[in-house]
Amino acid sequence: KNEVEQSPQNLTAQEGEFITINCSYSVGISALHWLQQHPGGGIVSLFMLSSGKKKHGRLIATINIQEKHSSLHITASHPRDSAVYICAPGNNFNKFYFGSGTKLNVKP
Amino acid sequence: NAGVTQTPKFQVLKTGQSMTLQCAQDMNHEYMSWYRQDPGMGLRLIHYSVGAGITDQGEVPNGYNVSRSTTEDFPLRLLSAAPSQTSVYFCASTDIGSYEQYFGPGTRLTVT
C-alpha cells in the first residue's frame, strides 16, 4: 500500500516551461515536505507546508489538506532545476512518508 | 554551522563484515533519524532517536543497531552486512518545533 503517490514519475521539459508535480497521500498529516535531490547528491528541503501556499523564488508549493493533495510548481524552468523532487507528508515530527519521487529533466 | 555530516561517503563491504556509519549534527536538534534509499522506492526509516539515550525502530530496522550517547552524534551499525543492505543511507535531523528536516550528504554502501 502506497501512502504517497507522486505524478508524473518522470518529466522532461524545455527550458522556460511551467512545471507541475503532484502529490496525493492517504494519511492524516500535520505537515508536508517537498524535497529536492540532485543526481548523486544530497537531499534538500525546499518547503514545509501545513496549509495554503508558499513561494520561494520560482518555486511555489500548495497544499489542500481536505483533498489530501499537494502540488509543486516551477515557473520559468531552468536546466539547473533538473533533479528528483520528493513529496513527504508527515503526521508527527518523527513519522514522514516519502514518495518515490519525480525525476525532472529540463533541457536547454 | 556544518549542518548534518556523514562519514564515510562511500564504502564497500564483504558479506558478514560489520561497520559503523557516522552521523553528526551541530544544530542541537533532539530528533535524528536514519533512512535508506533504494532505486524506485521512497526513503525508508531505519531507526530514529528523540533525544540522547532514547532510540526506537523505524520501518526497516533488521540488521541495524543505533545508539545516541550525545545530542550531536547518532551512529548506525551494521552488525553482519548482507547484499540486501546495499543502498544509500541518509542521516537527518529535525527541528521539532518547525518540523524542518536537514539531511546529511549520504553514504553509498555496497555489500558484495
Side-chain angles (χ1 to χ4, degrees):
Chain A
K1 177 188 171 206
N2 289 334
E3 292 89 359
V4 185
E5 296 282 353
Q6 285 186 235
S7 63
Q9 290 187 320
N10 293 282
L11 180 57
T12 299
Q14 288 297 129
E15 183 173 356
E17 285 185 0
F18 181 84
I19 288 163
T20 295
I21 300 170
N22 294 300
C23 173
S24 296
Y25 52 90
S26 58
V27 294
I29 69 165
S30 302
L32 182 144
H33 282 281
W34 278 102
L35 309 171
Q36 181 191 55
Q37 184 174 26
H38 281 282
I43 299 170
V44 175
S45 178
L46 297 173
F47 293 101
M48 198 282 294
L49 291 164
S50 55
S51 64
K53 177 179 175 179
K54 283 191 176 180
K55 183 176 188 290
H56 290 160
R58 295 180 294 106
L59 274 60
I60 303 166
T62 63
I63 188 168
N64 185 317
I65 297 290
Q66 287 74 26
E67 294 187 4
K68 296 188 174 182
H69 183 267
S70 178
S71 293
L72 176 68
H73 306 284
I74 305 175
T75 62
S77 59
H78 190 276
R80 65 175 174 265
D81 296 325
S82 298
V84 175
Y85 293 84
I86 301 168
C87 169
N91 57 17
N92 200 338
F93 64 86
N94 66 339
K95 184 58 177 174
F96 286 91
Y97 302 86
F98 293 86
S100 56
T102 294
K103 186 174 183 179
L104 172 65
N105 181 24
V106 181
K107 294 184 174 181
Chain B
N1 287 352
V4 181
T5 58
Q6 286 183 240
T7 56
K9 289 190 176 180
F10 302 94
Q11 183 70 50
V12 178
L13 290 177
K14 294 186 187 303
T15 297
Q17 287 184 317
S18 63
M19 78 159 294
T20 299
L21 279 61
Q22 301 292 343
C23 174
Q25 53 95 6
D26 61 0
M27 296 172 281
N28 204 34
H29 290 161
E30 292 295 328
Y31 181 71
M32 296 183 73
S33 50
W34 275 103
Y35 297 95
R36 59 178 289 172
Q37 186 180 41
D38 300 296
M41 302 183 70
L43 289 159
R44 292 185 291 168
L45 182 64
I46 304 171
H47 284 285
Y48 65 94
S49 169
V50 298
I54 306 169
T55 63
D56 207 344
Q57 297 180 349
E59 183 184 354
V60 288
N62 292 341
Y64 308 95
N65 271 358
V66 291
S67 60
R68 185 93 180 271
S69 56
T70 66
T71 299
E72 294 78 20
D73 299 301
F74 189 42
L76 177 73
R77 295 185 191 84
L78 279 70
L79 309 172
S80 177
S84 61
Q85 293 178 303
T86 294
S87 188
V88 181
Y89 291 84
F90 289 96
C91 177
S93 73
T94 303
D95 182 327
I96 294 174
S98 68
Y99 284 12
E100 287 284 355
Q101 275 198 309
Y102 300 84
F103 288 84
T107 295
R108 186 174 294 273
L109 175 68
T110 302
V111 183
T112 60

